[in-house]
Amino acid sequence: EDQVTQSPEALRLQEGESSSLNCSYTVSGLRGLFWYRQDPGKGPEFLFTLYSAGEEKEKERLKATLTKKESFLHITAPKPEDSATYLCAVQDVNTNAGKSTFGDGTTLTVKP
Amino acid sequence: DGGITQSPKYLFRKEGQNVTLSCEQNLNHDAMYWYRQDPGQGLRLIYYSQIVNDFQKGDIAEGYSVSREKKESFPLTVTSAQKNPTAFYLCASSAGNRGYTFGSGTRLTVV
Protein backbone atom coordinates (compact mmCIF):
# COMPACT_ATOMS: atom_id res chain seq x y z
CA GLU A 1 0.00 0.00 0.00
CA ASP A 2 1.30 3.45 -0.92
CA GLN A 3 2.10 5.74 1.99
CA VAL A 4 3.04 9.41 2.28
CA THR A 5 4.22 11.00 5.53
CA GLN A 6 4.85 14.72 5.82
CA SER A 7 6.80 16.47 8.55
CA PRO A 8 6.59 18.61 10.49
CA GLU A 9 2.80 18.92 10.87
CA ALA A 10 3.19 22.65 11.48
CA LEU A 11 6.06 25.07 10.97
CA ARG A 12 6.29 28.66 12.15
CA LEU A 13 8.98 30.87 10.63
CA GLN A 14 9.98 34.49 10.82
CA GLU A 15 9.99 36.35 7.52
CA GLY A 16 13.31 35.65 5.80
CA GLU A 17 14.06 32.50 7.84
CA SER A 18 14.69 29.68 5.35
CA SER A 19 13.65 26.09 6.09
CA SER A 20 12.56 22.78 4.54
CA LEU A 21 9.46 20.60 4.56
CA ASN A 22 9.83 16.83 4.29
CA CYS A 23 7.76 14.25 2.41
CA SER A 24 8.67 10.57 2.93
CA TYR A 25 6.99 8.07 0.67
CA THR A 26 6.60 4.34 0.11
CA VAL A 27 5.55 3.05 -3.30
CA SER A 28 6.32 -0.07 -5.29
CA GLY A 29 7.47 2.16 -8.15
CA LEU A 30 7.27 5.94 -8.43
CA ARG A 31 5.41 7.34 -11.40
CA GLY A 32 5.53 10.88 -10.03
CA LEU A 33 5.66 12.97 -6.86
CA PHE A 34 3.61 16.15 -6.64
CA TRP A 35 3.63 19.22 -4.42
CA TYR A 36 0.56 21.40 -3.92
CA ARG A 37 -0.20 24.56 -1.98
CA GLN A 38 -3.58 24.90 -0.22
CA ASP A 39 -4.94 28.12 1.25
CA PRO A 40 -7.67 27.90 3.93
CA GLY A 41 -11.08 27.03 2.49
CA LYS A 42 -9.75 26.60 -1.04
CA GLY A 43 -8.74 23.79 -3.35
CA PRO A 44 -5.06 22.84 -3.62
CA GLU A 45 -2.96 24.56 -6.27
CA PHE A 46 -0.41 22.52 -8.22
CA LEU A 47 3.24 23.53 -7.67
CA PHE A 48 5.66 20.85 -8.97
CA THR A 49 5.99 17.35 -10.39
CA LEU A 50 9.17 15.30 -9.81
CA TYR A 51 9.72 12.02 -11.63
CA SER A 52 13.15 10.64 -10.71
CA ALA A 53 15.74 10.80 -7.93
CA GLY A 54 18.06 13.77 -8.28
CA GLU A 55 15.49 15.93 -10.02
CA GLU A 56 14.93 19.51 -8.82
CA LYS A 57 12.29 22.10 -9.67
CA GLU A 58 12.16 25.78 -8.66
CA LYS A 59 9.48 28.44 -8.53
CA GLU A 60 10.16 31.80 -6.93
CA ARG A 61 11.19 31.09 -3.30
CA LEU A 62 10.34 27.37 -3.52
CA LYS A 63 12.62 24.53 -4.58
CA ALA A 64 11.56 20.87 -4.62
CA THR A 65 14.05 18.00 -4.60
CA LEU A 66 13.63 14.23 -4.82
CA THR A 67 15.49 11.16 -3.57
CA LYS A 68 14.45 7.50 -3.73
CA LYS A 69 12.67 7.73 -0.38
CA GLU A 70 11.75 11.36 0.20
CA SER A 71 11.23 14.80 -1.19
CA PHE A 72 12.03 18.18 0.29
CA LEU A 73 10.36 21.50 -0.32
CA HIS A 74 12.91 24.19 0.47
CA ILE A 75 11.62 27.68 1.19
CA THR A 76 14.20 30.44 0.86
CA ALA A 77 13.64 33.79 2.61
CA PRO A 78 9.89 33.20 3.03
CA LYS A 79 7.34 36.00 3.10
CA PRO A 80 3.99 36.10 4.97
CA GLU A 81 2.18 35.34 1.70
CA ASP A 82 3.90 31.94 1.63
CA SER A 83 1.76 30.94 4.62
CA ALA A 84 -0.38 27.95 3.56
CA THR A 85 -0.66 24.19 3.89
CA TYR A 86 1.70 22.32 1.58
CA LEU A 87 0.57 18.89 0.41
CA CYS A 88 2.69 16.11 -1.06
CA ALA A 89 1.24 13.30 -3.21
CA VAL A 90 2.59 10.27 -5.08
CA GLN A 91 1.46 8.16 -8.00
CA ASP A 92 2.49 4.52 -8.13
CA VAL A 93 3.36 2.79 -11.41
CA ASN A 94 1.31 -0.22 -10.30
CA THR A 95 -1.96 1.64 -9.74
CA ASN A 96 -4.37 3.03 -12.29
CA ALA A 97 -2.88 6.01 -14.07
CA GLY A 98 -3.54 9.32 -12.36
CA LYS A 99 -4.60 8.01 -8.95
CA SER A 100 -2.70 9.89 -6.22
CA THR A 101 -2.05 9.20 -2.53
CA PHE A 102 -1.75 12.35 -0.41
CA GLY A 103 0.05 13.12 2.83
CA ASP A 104 -1.63 15.06 5.63
CA GLY A 105 0.25 18.25 4.80
CA THR A 106 2.51 20.75 6.56
CA THR A 107 0.93 24.01 7.66
CA LEU A 108 3.43 26.83 7.27
CA THR A 109 3.00 30.16 9.05
CA VAL A 110 5.39 33.00 8.21
CA LYS A 111 5.34 35.95 10.60
CA PRO A 112 6.42 39.43 9.53
CA ASP B 1 -10.09 30.65 -18.75
CA GLY B 2 -10.05 26.89 -18.30
CA GLY B 3 -10.73 25.39 -14.92
CA ILE B 4 -12.98 23.34 -12.68
CA THR B 5 -16.21 24.66 -11.21
CA GLN B 6 -17.70 23.09 -8.11
CA SER B 7 -21.11 24.00 -6.78
CA PRO B 8 -22.52 24.78 -4.37
CA LYS B 9 -19.77 26.23 -2.18
CA TYR B 10 -21.74 25.35 0.98
CA LEU B 11 -24.32 22.58 1.35
CA PHE B 12 -26.42 21.49 4.29
CA ARG B 13 -27.88 17.99 4.51
CA LYS B 14 -30.58 16.73 6.77
CA GLU B 15 -30.46 13.22 8.20
CA GLY B 16 -31.65 10.66 5.65
CA GLN B 17 -31.25 12.98 2.67
CA ASN B 18 -29.29 12.39 -0.51
CA VAL B 19 -27.43 15.41 -1.87
CA THR B 20 -25.53 15.91 -5.11
CA LEU B 21 -22.36 17.93 -5.54
CA SER B 22 -21.64 19.33 -8.98
CA CYS B 23 -18.26 19.31 -10.74
CA GLU B 24 -17.72 20.70 -14.26
CA GLN B 25 -14.43 21.16 -16.13
CA ASN B 26 -13.56 22.85 -19.43
CA LEU B 27 -9.95 21.68 -19.58
CA ASN B 28 -10.67 18.75 -21.91
CA HIS B 29 -9.16 16.40 -19.32
CA ASP B 30 -10.04 12.72 -19.54
CA ALA B 31 -9.56 11.88 -15.85
CA MET B 32 -11.62 13.26 -12.98
CA TYR B 33 -11.52 12.59 -9.25
CA TRP B 34 -13.45 13.17 -6.04
CA TYR B 35 -11.56 13.56 -2.76
CA ARG B 36 -12.74 14.15 0.77
CA GLN B 37 -10.76 16.29 3.22
CA ASP B 38 -11.37 16.28 6.97
CA PRO B 39 -9.86 18.93 9.30
CA GLY B 40 -6.11 18.58 9.66
CA GLN B 41 -5.99 15.60 7.33
CA GLY B 42 -4.93 14.91 3.81
CA LEU B 43 -7.15 14.03 0.90
CA ARG B 44 -8.84 10.64 0.66
CA LEU B 45 -10.03 9.31 -2.69
CA ILE B 46 -13.75 8.60 -3.05
CA TYR B 47 -14.20 7.83 -6.77
CA TYR B 48 -12.32 8.44 -9.99
CA SER B 49 -13.04 8.21 -13.70
CA GLN B 50 -10.56 7.91 -16.55
CA ILE B 51 -13.06 8.01 -19.43
CA VAL B 52 -16.70 8.75 -20.06
CA ASN B 53 -19.16 6.09 -18.83
CA ASP B 54 -16.51 4.42 -16.67
CA PHE B 55 -15.51 5.02 -13.05
CA GLN B 56 -13.83 3.16 -10.18
CA LYS B 57 -14.15 3.14 -6.42
CA GLY B 58 -11.46 4.81 -4.40
CA ASP B 59 -10.48 4.12 -0.82
CA ILE B 60 -13.67 5.42 0.84
CA ALA B 61 -16.50 4.87 -1.70
CA GLU B 62 -19.11 3.50 0.72
CA GLY B 63 -22.12 5.82 0.96
CA TYR B 64 -21.24 7.71 -2.22
CA SER B 65 -22.17 7.35 -5.91
CA VAL B 66 -21.03 9.04 -9.12
CA SER B 67 -21.81 9.20 -12.82
CA ARG B 68 -19.75 10.22 -15.86
CA GLU B 69 -22.15 10.73 -18.75
CA LYS B 70 -20.20 13.63 -20.24
CA LYS B 71 -16.47 14.30 -20.37
CA GLU B 72 -16.98 17.69 -18.72
CA SER B 73 -19.10 16.56 -15.77
CA PHE B 74 -18.54 14.26 -12.78
CA PRO B 75 -21.26 14.74 -10.13
CA LEU B 76 -20.99 13.13 -6.69
CA THR B 77 -24.04 12.02 -4.71
CA VAL B 78 -23.71 11.67 -0.97
CA THR B 79 -26.34 9.15 0.05
CA SER B 80 -28.08 8.59 3.36
CA ALA B 81 -25.86 5.52 3.78
CA GLN B 82 -22.86 7.80 4.40
CA LYS B 83 -23.01 8.14 8.18
CA ASN B 84 -20.39 10.85 8.61
CA PRO B 85 -20.65 13.10 5.56
CA THR B 86 -19.56 16.40 7.12
CA ALA B 87 -16.36 17.30 5.27
CA PHE B 88 -14.75 19.42 2.55
CA TYR B 89 -15.20 17.79 -0.87
CA LEU B 90 -12.75 18.45 -3.67
CA CYS B 91 -13.11 17.61 -7.35
CA ALA B 92 -10.03 17.43 -9.57
CA SER B 93 -9.06 16.60 -13.12
CA SER B 94 -5.83 15.68 -14.85
CA ALA B 95 -4.35 14.94 -18.25
CA GLY B 96 -2.02 11.94 -18.26
CA ASN B 97 0.80 11.74 -15.75
CA ARG B 98 0.49 15.30 -14.52
CA GLY B 99 -0.60 17.14 -11.44
CA TYR B 100 -4.23 17.75 -10.70
CA THR B 101 -6.26 20.87 -11.29
CA PHE B 102 -8.65 21.26 -8.36
CA GLY B 103 -11.95 23.02 -7.96
CA SER B 104 -12.61 25.41 -5.09
CA GLY B 105 -14.44 22.75 -3.06
CA THR B 106 -17.84 22.18 -1.48
CA ARG B 107 -18.23 22.23 2.28
CA LEU B 108 -20.97 19.81 3.33
CA THR B 109 -22.52 19.97 6.79
CA VAL B 110 -25.10 17.66 8.33
CA VAL B 111 -27.81 19.56 10.23
Side-chain angles (χ1 to χ4, degrees):
Chain A
E1 181 180 337
D2 302 337
Q3 288 192 329
V4 178
T5 303
Q6 292 188 245
S7 62
E9 288 185 14
L11 182 62
R12 300 170 73 89
L13 299 174
Q14 288 296 128
E15 185 172 2
E17 180 186 2
S18 301
S19 187
S20 296
L21 282 56
N22 177 263
C23 171
S24 298
Y25 63 90
T26 303
V27 293
S28 54
L30 184 67
R31 176 180 282 122
L33 184 141
F34 306 86
W35 282 99
Y36 296 87
R37 170 192 170 126
Q38 186 176 25
D39 292 305
K42 298 188 177 181
E45 175 188 352
F46 170 75
L47 292 173
F48 304 110
T49 307
L50 301 167
Y51 295 105
S52 58
E55 191 174 358
E56 298 182 352
K57 293 275 181 72
E58 286 189 64
K59 180 179 180 180
E60 296 180 357
R61 294 177 292 282
L62 300 177
K63 179 172 144 181
T65 62
L66 181 65
T67 73
K68 289 187 177 180
K69 294 184 178 181
E70 56 191 350
S71 176
F72 293 93
L73 185 64
H74 307 277
I75 303 177
T76 302
K79 298 182 177 182
E81 53 261 43
D82 294 322
S83 298
T85 295
Y86 291 87
L87 297 169
C88 173
V90 296
Q91 291 183 8
D92 190 320
V93 295
N94 291 319
T95 60
N96 285 332
K99 180 182 172 185
S100 292
T101 300
F102 283 80
D104 288 344
T106 293
T107 299
L108 173 66
T109 304
V110 182
K111 296 208 164 187
Chain B
D1 288 339
I4 295 185
T5 301
Q6 288 189 243
S7 62
K9 188 172 177 65
Y10 299 96
L11 186 57
F12 298 90
R13 193 194 92 167
K14 294 181 180 179
E15 296 284 350
Q17 244 185 0
N18 292 354
V19 292
T20 297
L21 284 60
S22 171
C23 177
E24 303 278 333
Q25 56 105 352
N26 61 2
L27 298 164
N28 200 34
H29 287 171
D30 287 317
M32 296 187 75
Y33 312 85
W34 274 105
Y35 282 87
R36 169 182 172 142
Q37 187 174 36
D38 293 284
Q41 296 187 28
L43 280 62
R44 292 185 289 166
L45 183 63
I46 305 172
Y47 269 97
Y48 62 105
S49 169
Q50 293 178 273
I51 56 172
V52 175
N53 293 322
D54 186 49
F55 48 83
Q56 289 80 41
K57 293 181 178 180
D59 301 318
I60 56 165
E62 185 174 351
Y64 301 97
S65 66
V66 294
S67 63
R68 187 85 186 275
E69 297 176 1
K70 299 187 300 181
K71 187 175 185 177
E72 302 79 17
S73 180
F74 192 40
L76 173 74
T77 296
V78 184
T79 75
S80 57
Q82 171 49 242
K83 298 306 178 188
N84 185 24
T86 295
F88 189 48
Y89 290 86
L90 288 160
C91 180
S93 69
S94 71
N97 182 24
R98 298 178 185 174
Y100 292 170
T101 300
F102 282 91
S104 55
T106 293
R107 189 166 299 280
L108 174 63
T109 304
V110 174
V111 295

Coordinates of all heavy atoms in Angstrom, one line a residue, chain A residues 3-33:
Chain A
Q3 N 2.2 4.9 0.8 CA 2.1 5.7 2.0 C 2.9 7.0 1.8 O 4.0 7.0 1.2 CB 2.6 5.0 3.2 CG 1.7 3.9 3.7 CD 2.1 3.4 5.1 OE1 3.3 3.4 5.4 NE2 1.2 2.9 5.9
V4 N 2.4 8.1 2.3 CA 3.0 9.4 2.3 C 3.0 10.0 3.7 O 1.9 10.2 4.2 CB 2.4 10.4 1.3 CG1 3.0 11.7 1.3 CG2 2.4 9.7 -0.1
T5 N 4.1 10.4 4.2 CA 4.2 11.0 5.5 C 4.9 12.3 5.4 O 6.1 12.4 4.9 CB 5.0 10.1 6.5 OG1 4.4 8.8 6.6 CG2 5.0 10.7 7.9
Q6 N 4.3 13.4 5.9 CA 4.8 14.7 5.8 C 5.2 15.2 7.2 O 4.5 15.0 8.2 CB 3.9 15.7 5.2 CG 3.6 15.4 3.7 CD 2.8 16.5 3.0 OE1 1.7 16.3 2.6 NE2 3.4 17.7 3.0
S7 N 6.4 15.9 7.3 CA 6.8 16.5 8.6 C 7.5 17.8 8.3 O 8.1 18.0 7.2 CB 7.7 15.5 9.3 OG 8.9 15.3 8.5
P8 N 7.4 18.7 9.3 CA 6.6 18.6 10.5 C 5.1 18.8 10.1 O 4.8 19.2 9.0 CB 7.1 19.7 11.4 CG 7.6 20.8 10.4 CD 8.1 20.0 9.2
E9 N 4.2 18.6 11.1 CA 2.8 18.9 10.9 C 2.6 20.4 10.7 O 1.8 20.9 9.9 CB 2.0 18.4 12.0 CG 1.8 16.9 12.1 CD 0.9 16.4 13.2 OE1 0.1 17.3 13.7 OE2 0.9 15.3 13.5
A10 N 3.3 21.2 11.5 CA 3.2 22.7 11.5 C 4.6 23.3 11.6 O 5.4 22.7 12.3 CB 2.3 23.2 12.6
L11 N 4.8 24.4 11.0 CA 6.1 25.1 11.0 C 5.8 26.6 11.0 O 5.1 27.1 10.2 CB 6.9 24.7 9.7 CG 8.3 25.3 9.6 CD1 9.2 24.8 10.7 CD2 8.9 24.9 8.2
R12 N 6.4 27.2 12.0 CA 6.3 28.7 12.1 C 7.7 29.3 11.9 O 8.6 28.9 12.6 CB 5.8 29.0 13.5 CG 4.4 28.4 13.8 CD 4.0 28.6 15.3 NE 3.7 30.0 15.6 CZ 2.5 30.5 15.5 NH1 1.5 29.7 15.1 NH2 2.2 31.7 15.8
L13 N 7.7 30.2 11.0 CA 9.0 30.9 10.6 C 8.8 32.4 10.7 O 7.7 32.9 10.5 CB 9.4 30.5 9.2 CG 9.6 29.0 8.9 CD1 9.9 28.8 7.4 CD2 10.8 28.5 9.7
Q14 N 10.0 33.0 11.0 CA 10.0 34.5 10.8 C 10.2 34.8 9.3 O 10.9 34.0 8.6 CB 11.1 35.1 11.7 CG 10.8 35.1 13.2 CD 9.6 35.9 13.5 OE1 8.7 35.5 14.2 NE2 9.6 37.2 13.1
E15 N 9.7 35.9 8.9 CA 10.0 36.4 7.5 C 11.5 36.4 7.3 O 12.3 36.9 8.1 CB 9.4 37.7 7.3 CG 9.5 38.2 5.9 CD 8.8 39.5 5.6 OE1 8.2 40.1 6.6 OE2 8.8 40.0 4.5
G16 N 11.9 35.7 6.2 CA 13.3 35.6 5.8 C 14.1 34.4 6.4 O 15.2 34.2 6.0
E17 N 13.4 33.7 7.2 CA 14.1 32.5 7.8 C 13.8 31.3 7.0 O 12.7 30.7 6.9 CB 13.5 32.3 9.2 CG 14.1 31.1 10.0 CD 13.4 30.8 11.3 OE1 12.4 31.5 11.6 OE2 13.8 29.9 12.0
S18 N 14.8 30.8 6.3 CA 14.7 29.7 5.4 C 14.5 28.4 6.1 O 15.1 28.2 7.2 CB 15.9 29.6 4.4 OG 16.0 30.8 3.7
S19 N 13.9 27.4 5.5 CA 13.7 26.1 6.1 C 13.2 25.1 5.0 O 13.1 25.4 3.8 CB 12.6 26.2 7.2 OG 12.5 25.0 7.9
S20 N 13.0 23.8 5.5 CA 12.6 22.8 4.5 C 11.4 22.0 5.1 O 11.3 21.8 6.3 CB 13.7 21.8 4.3 OG 14.8 22.5 3.6
L21 N 10.5 21.5 4.2 CA 9.5 20.6 4.6 C 9.8 19.2 4.0 O 10.4 19.1 2.9 CB 8.1 21.1 3.9 CG 7.4 22.2 4.6 CD1 8.2 23.5 4.7 CD2 6.1 22.5 3.8
N22 N 9.5 18.2 4.7 CA 9.8 16.8 4.3 C 8.6 16.0 3.9 O 7.5 16.1 4.5 CB 10.6 16.1 5.4 CG 10.9 14.7 5.1 OD1 10.2 13.8 5.4 ND2 12.0 14.5 4.4
C23 N 8.8 15.2 2.9 CA 7.8 14.2 2.4 C 8.4 12.9 2.2 O 9.2 12.7 1.3 CB 7.1 14.7 1.1 SG 6.0 13.5 0.3
S24 N 8.2 11.9 3.1 CA 8.7 10.6 2.9 C 7.6 9.7 2.3 O 6.4 9.8 2.7 CB 9.0 10.0 4.3 OG 10.1 10.8 4.9
Y25 N 8.0 8.8 1.4 CA 7.0 8.1 0.7 C 7.4 6.6 0.5 O 8.6 6.3 0.5 CB 6.7 8.7 -0.7 CG 7.9 8.7 -1.7 CD1 8.1 7.6 -2.5 CD2 8.8 9.8 -1.7 CE1 9.2 7.6 -3.4 CE2 9.8 9.8 -2.6 CZ 10.0 8.7 -3.4 OH 11.1 8.7 -4.3
T26 N 6.4 5.8 0.4 CA 6.6 4.3 0.1 C 5.7 3.9 -1.0 O 4.5 4.1 -0.9 CB 6.3 3.5 1.3 OG1 7.1 3.9 2.5 CG2 6.5 2.0 1.1
V27 N 6.3 3.5 -2.1 CA 5.5 3.1 -3.3 C 6.3 1.9 -3.9 O 7.5 1.7 -3.7 CB 5.4 4.1 -4.4 CG1 4.5 5.3 -3.9 CG2 6.8 4.7 -4.8
S28 N 5.6 1.0 -4.6 CA 6.3 -0.1 -5.3 C 7.2 0.5 -6.5 O 8.2 -0.1 -6.7 CB 5.3 -1.1 -5.8 OG 4.3 -0.5 -6.6
G29 N 6.7 1.5 -7.1 CA 7.5 2.2 -8.1 C 6.9 3.6 -8.3 O 5.7 3.7 -8.4
L30 N 7.8 4.6 -8.4 CA 7.3 5.9 -8.4 C 7.0 6.4 -9.9 O 7.9 6.4 -10.7 CB 8.3 6.9 -7.8 CG 7.9 8.4 -7.7 CD1 6.7 8.5 -6.7 CD2 9.0 9.2 -7.3
R31 N 5.7 6.7 -10.1 CA 5.4 7.3 -11.4 C 5.6 8.8 -11.3 O 6.1 9.5 -12.3 CB 4.0 7.1 -11.8 CG 3.5 7.7 -13.1 CD 2.1 7.4 -13.5 NE 2.0 6.1 -14.1 CZ 1.2 5.2 -13.6 NH1 0.4 5.4 -12.5 NH2 1.1 4.0 -14.2
G32 N 5.3 9.4 -10.2 CA 5.5 10.9 -10.0 C 5.2 11.3 -8.6 O 4.5 10.7 -7.9
L33 N 5.9 12.4 -8.2 CA 5.7 13.0 -6.9 C 5.3 14.4 -7.1 O 5.9 15.1 -7.9 CB 6.9 12.9 -6.0 CG 6.7 13.4 -4.5 CD1 7.4 12.5 -3.5 CD2 7.1 14.9 -4.4

